[in-house]
Amino acid sequence: MSIPGLLLKNQLRSYRKVLRKGLPFLAVLLVFLLFFAGEAGPLVRNRELPDAYLPKIYAAVLLFFAGRRILFLKYPPFFFSLPGLYFFLTTPVNHRLVLAGKVLLSYLPLLLLSFGWSLLTGWVQTGLPGGAGLFFCLAAMANLSWLLYNGETNRLLLRKVLVFLVIILLLFLKTPGFIWAIIAAGSFWRAVNSVDKINWSKYENHCRLAYLSRQFFLAGDWGGLEALTYEYARAEPPAASFLPARVYVTGRKAFTFGQILIISRYPLFSFVVFLGQYAFAVFLMGRGEFLPLTGGSLLLLLGFAGLFSLPVQKLRQKMAQGLFPAGGFAEFIAGLFILPAAVAWVFLAAVFFLVPTGVNPAWQAAASFFPAAILSYLAVARGMFQPAFSGWFVAGALLFALLFSCIYRAFWWEALAALLLFIPYLVSSWQRMKKIYEGTGL
Amino acid sequence: MSILQVKNLSKSFGTVQALKGVSFTVRSGTVVGLIGPNGAGKTTLLKCILGLVRYERGEIFLDGRPLAGRKELAAQISYIPEQPVYYEELTVEENLSLYAMLAGTPRREFAEKKAMLVKELDLAEHLKKLPDQLSKGNRQKMMIAMAFFKRFQMLLADEPFSGLDPVMIRRLKDLFLAVKEEEKTVLISTHLLDLAQTICDDYIFLDHGNILAAGNREEIRRAAGIPGKEGVSLEEAYLKLLGRSEGS
């Protein structure tokens, strides 16, 4: 087989692997989109686009792009895979040709972006580059970004500022597309001929980060991801936990303590994302119809599971590597269950006060104890079952959505039926998780 | 005749000076051991020679000429990296073929080398497997085979014995000696002094970015200040040099 044939074979097999792993997730996403397409369609169609603001938004997006690519440049605009880089560096292939191919391939997302953006804002006269002009503008920025990335460190900041100012000036002067095309072509030529000036050690390091992050993410290897994060943030070690170092607990409290410790080290952004998900879920639930209610419940669940399942996943991973936690399975579940259950109850109860249903919210808040317990159990289950969207988790998620929707609409008998349905799920999933915990089901 | 000449090479990573004006010469047709503790600067030095690390000061000459463009460099040097690097979705055989094709190895030469290397490195039963299905040692063997598929003047090997069993270590040593017989050069970075002693003609002892001593065993012994006596091990000289370096 030829060189392109083998490279293509590797790529196709890699896509196949990703697809296999992500299929359940894609299926859930598809069902979610199908459910909401009917609801979201009229919402989008009936809304008037703020034409007056679009040029400003457009300019802001371009400025953001330029700032990210030129001024606050940290990573290169494109990456090689680690084996690709090794094979490229240690063999006498035509390095310029390979680099040119790589640069051209990196234009593909820019092409799609400029095409999509031009479709969206085609009718707005912004004076800023659009269509092909926008593509050449983005390509020029990417090329300049690559040249600056590999530039000598002497006066690099000054050069970055100068290039950024020139780009702003060209945008401000409403430079026609062909000028951007000339800049793009010139910078492309320089980029391709920079092969002997590439800062390989820095580039190899960043390619490694990109490659390993992807590998660890696809393998669900959170331990690996965390180790990689610490390795690359060596200059800035993680902030010390606010928890006192003298705390010493055993048994189920040790699991809870570990969970609190891990969560306390999450970046602030994780909590912002969770609150955003929560706000959107509440907004959906406020529509009161069955499908948005279900969607909102699932969104809430995903936010919660994302936040609380990581400590479980990490523990499971360490167990697979040889850690034997003291205490039985019940202690393990109890230790990891209490904190998310308490937090979940507060957030679920708050839904009824934020979006009143006409029924006494105190009753509904009290009844939220059951979905909160299920939600917490599911966060643990998501951490225990691999992959993240395993059948076990999806089944539990649907039961949760059903129960919470029934409580929200004050369908008490239906809620009781949903709760009863949860019992066989609890028994069977408990047994399965116990096997995983004890190492007999790994 | 020297194949590699390094003059006054310096490299820093932030405030850490990895190489402090390193100078040495490697004779053509020899096996040279680059020896030093963790963090001595061995891998940085190899990467400088490979053109993968920009150095601040100094010069590197390969076969009398300053190291120039990447293509020229890649054509003359072959490299066994410390960590195996391969296409995960290609089988061992496909990885080897791809590397050989990129290295420009003619088809007939590839077939001959493949037959020899697969036999020498015991890779026959693993050819159709994906690299991730192999043990660490077998993956290392695949990387060694890859490096040998290429025509080179100089072979750089970063901890090549790592993960290999005694039989394989012996065979790899034989492969290095065969390279030497072809008047080509091997530069091996290793911690294994006993092994280095059985195969290397010359040694470069590196610590904290400085060369403690360089030369053949006799020269190393003299540099370490060990009076002439039989049976002086490299380990003894190494520890003495290292102790002196830490004391200074």
Side-chain angles (χ1 to χ4, degrees):
Chain A
M1 198 176 258
S2 64
I3 295 171
L6 282 170
L7 291 173
L8 190 67
K9 194 175 186 179
N10 178 69
Q11 204 62 39
L12 290 176
R13 283 179 180 170
S14 168
Y15 288 145
R16 190 181 59 187
K17 198 159 111 181
V18 172
L19 263 179
R20 249 188 229 157
K21 280 183 185 266
L23 213 54
F25 172 71
L26 289 175
V28 170
L29 191 71
L30 192 69
V31 169
F32 192 79
L33 288 175
L34 282 175
F35 272 155
F36 287 97
E39 302 278 340
L43 199 75
V44 173
R45 275 197 296 275
N46 299 336
R47 186 161 293 232
E48 282 193 15
L49 282 166
D51 285 5
Y53 293 109
L54 266 180
K56 284 177 187 156
I57 296 170
Y58 191 3
V61 169
L62 270 180
L63 270 183
F64 172 76
F65 192 86
R68 201 175 137 262
R69 279 279 158 96
I70 307 289
L71 208 54
F72 304 105
L73 165 75
K74 189 175 176 188
Y75 297 110
F78 56 86
F79 295 96
F80 275 87
S81 70
L82 267 191
L85 194 65
Y86 169 72
F87 281 43
F88 171 65
L89 287 175
T90 59
T91 55
V93 287
N94 189 332
H95 291 110
R96 279 187 183 79
L97 195 68
V98 177
L99 190 63
K102 197 74 197 173
V103 175
L104 287 174
L105 273 178
S106 78
Y107 291 162
L108 201 63
L110 302 181
L111 192 70
L112 293 174
L113 191 76
S114 34
F115 179 69
W117 181 256
S118 303
L119 270 184
L120 193 71
T121 62
W123 66 93
V124 184
Q125 294 301 311
T126 60
L128 291 164
L134 175 62
F135 167 70
F136 288 125
C137 171
L138 296 179
M141 283 192 221
N143 297 340
L144 291 168
S145 166
W146 173 247
L147 290 170
L148 285 168
Y149 176 83
N150 291 297
E152 294 290 335
T153 44
N154 274 353
R155 295 181 189 152
L156 185 61
L157 185 65
L158 181 69
R159 269 180 284 151
K160 280 181 182 179
V161 172
L162 282 176
V163 173
F164 182 68
L165 288 177
V166 169
I167 287 174
I168 302 290
L169 191 70
L170 289 174
L171 287 173
F172 180 73
L173 292 175
K174 304 193 187 334
T175 308
F178 78 92
I179 300 279
W180 284 114
I182 292 169
I183 298 171
S187 53
F188 172 77
W189 183 251
R190 283 290 304 271
V192 170
N193 281 298
S194 70
V195 74
D196 287 326
K197 288 177 184 155
I198 293 172
N199 191 342
W200 288 113
S201 52
K202 184 167 85 168
Y203 188 53
E204 188 192 16
N205 208 24
H206 284 152
C207 286
R208 181 175 171 268
L209 175 66
Y211 182 76
L212 291 182
S213 308
R214 183 174 172 271
Q215 298 293 95
F216 288 148
F217 178 75
L218 290 176
D221 183 354
W222 302 108
L225 269 177
E226 193 186 30
L228 200 65
T229 311
Y230 286 160
E231 187 188 331
Y232 277 81
R234 261 182 310 195
E236 301 162 41
S241 170
F242 63 89
L243 293 165
R246 278 174 296 175
V247 171
Y248 188 84
V249 285
T250 54
R252 72 178 162 75
K253 285 182 196 157
F255 292 114
T256 312
F257 184 69
Q259 190 182 33
I260 295 172
L261 206 64
I262 291 169
I263 291 171
S264 73
R265 284 179 175 168
Y266 282 175
L268 190 67
F269 187 67
S270 316
F271 299 105
V272 174
V273 168
F274 167 67
L275 286 176
Q277 270 174 303
Y278 180 71
F280 189 57
V282 170
F283 164 74
L284 284 176
M285 287 173 185
R287 295 171 66 85
E289 293 146 24
F290 181 67
L291 279 180
L293 203 54
T294 313
S297 315
L298 288 173
L299 198 62
L300 203 68
L301 169 71
L302 289 183
F304 251 92
L307 215 57
F308 287 100
S309 66
L310 187 62
V312 187
Q313 283 177 35
K314 285 168 87 169
L315 202 62
R316 187 195 154 165
Q317 204 154 31
K318 293 210 164 38
M319 279 154 54
Q321 287 166 354
L323 173 81
F324 295 102
F329 179 62
E331 221 170 1
F332 167 78
I333 290 282
L336 292 166
F337 175 82
I338 293 164
L339 180 72
V343 177
W345 183 76
V346 172
F347 274 86
L348 290 184
V351 172
F352 300 107
F353 293 96
L354 289 168
V355 195
T357 54
V359 182
N360 186 347
W363 279 111
Q364 285 173 310
S368 298
F369 170 77
F370 296 104
I374 293 178
L375 202 148
S376 178
Y377 181 78
L378 288 174
V380 178
R382 188 184 153 183
M384 286 299 270
F385 293 121
Q386 301 284 352
F389 285 93
S390 69
W392 286 100
F393 179 68
V394 173
L398 293 175
L399 278 172
F400 163 78
L402 189 67
L403 177 66
F404 190 67
S405 304
C406 291
I407 291 174
Y408 186 89
R409 305 177 102 188
F411 292 172
W412 303 113
W413 286 110
E414 287 82 350
L416 185 67
L419 204 56
L420 289 173
L421 265 178
F422 188 73
I423 293 171
Y425 174 81
L426 179 72
V427 172
S428 48
S429 59
W430 179 281
Q431 289 302 326
R432 177 79 188 125
M433 284 203 283
K434 193 176 177 198
K435 276 184 183 172
I436 293 172
Y437 180 81
E438 287 165 355
T440 51
L442 282 171
Chain B
M1 188 192 150
S2 73
I3 176 89
L4 178 76
Q5 216 181 347
V6 174
K7 284 185 181 172
N8 205 21
L9 198 71
S10 294
K11 170 68 193 169
S12 303
F13 293 104
T15 53
V16 180
Q17 213 177 341
L19 296 172
K20 302 170 184 168
V22 168
S23 298
F24 64 90
T25 302
V26 171
R27 289 183 295 132
S28 186
T30 54
V31 179
V32 182
L34 182 60
I35 293 158
N38 296 327
K42 301 189 295 290
T43 301
T44 305
L45 180 57
L46 289 188
K47 287 195 167 180
C48 282
I49 299 168
L50 276 164
L52 297 181
V53 166
R54 277 183 190 174
Y55 40 91
E56 287 105 32
R57 216 152 30 94
E59 286 171 297
I60 301 176
F61 296 90
L62 190 69
D63 216 4
R65 290 194 304 271
L67 278 185
R70 278 232 57 80
K71 194 176 173 184
E72 194 185 325
L73 190 71
Q76 294 188 63
I77 297 179
S78 200
Y79 175 52
I80 303 172
E82 191 179 3
Q83 299 287 336
V85 194
Y86 46 81
Y87 283 98
E88 286 164 3
E89 302 302 328
L90 295 182
T91 61
V92 171
E93 193 170 30
E94 286 164 343
N95 265 292
L96 295 177
S97 305
L98 178 61
Y99 194 82
M101 280 192 271
L102 287 168
T105 312
R107 189 185 286 267
R108 179 180 282 189
E109 191 180 324
F110 169 67
E112 286 167 8
K113 278 189 177 173
K114 186 178 157 190
M116 185 273 283
L117 288 165
V118 163
K119 186 172 170 243
E120 284 296 313
L121 298 169
D122 246 347
L123 278 170
E125 60 178 302
H126 305 302
L127 285 176
K128 302 286 176 205
K129 291 180 188 166
L130 292 176
D132 281 346
Q133 295 171 311
L134 305 183
S135 67
K136 188 187 168 199
N138 282 325
R139 281 200 293 265
Q140 179 71 357
K141 288 193 288 189
M142 181 184 76
M143 296 310 295
I144 293 164
M146 266 189 213
F148 275 91
F149 274 127
K150 202 172 130 182
R151 287 178 179 171
F152 57 83
Q153 282 305 308
M154 188 167 185
L155 174 66
L156 304 185
D158 200 353
E159 301 289 351
F161 302 110
S162 162
L164 297 184
D165 59 53
V167 176
M168 273 308 131
I169 287 176
R170 180 63 188 262
R171 288 194 192 166
L172 183 57
K173 275 160 59 179
D174 290 343
L175 282 174
F176 287 154
L177 291 174
V179 171
K180 182 183 151 182
E181 276 172 22
E182 289 174 18
E183 280 302 304
K184 290 172 184 168
T185 312
V186 186
L187 180 59
I188 306 168
S189 156
T190 182
H191 292 104
L192 307 171
L193 290 167
D194 289 347
L195 255 172
Q197 201 161 278
T198 60
I199 186 174
C200 296
D201 303 295
D202 293 332
Y203 308 89
I204 300 165
F205 281 26
L206 202 64
D207 185 35
H208 288 102
N210 287 309
I211 290 193
L212 303 180
N216 60 29
R217 217 161 140 186
E218 183 58 26
E219 285 164 330
I220 295 289
R221 184 184 63 75
R222 264 188 271 134
I226 301 172
K229 58 177 178 179
E230 278 193 20
V232 173
S233 71
L234 205 57
E235 189 181 67
E236 203 175 324
Y238 173 73
L239 292 174
K240 197 150 187 186
L241 283 164
L242 211 58
R244 197 190 294 165
S245 157
E246 278 164 6
S248 63

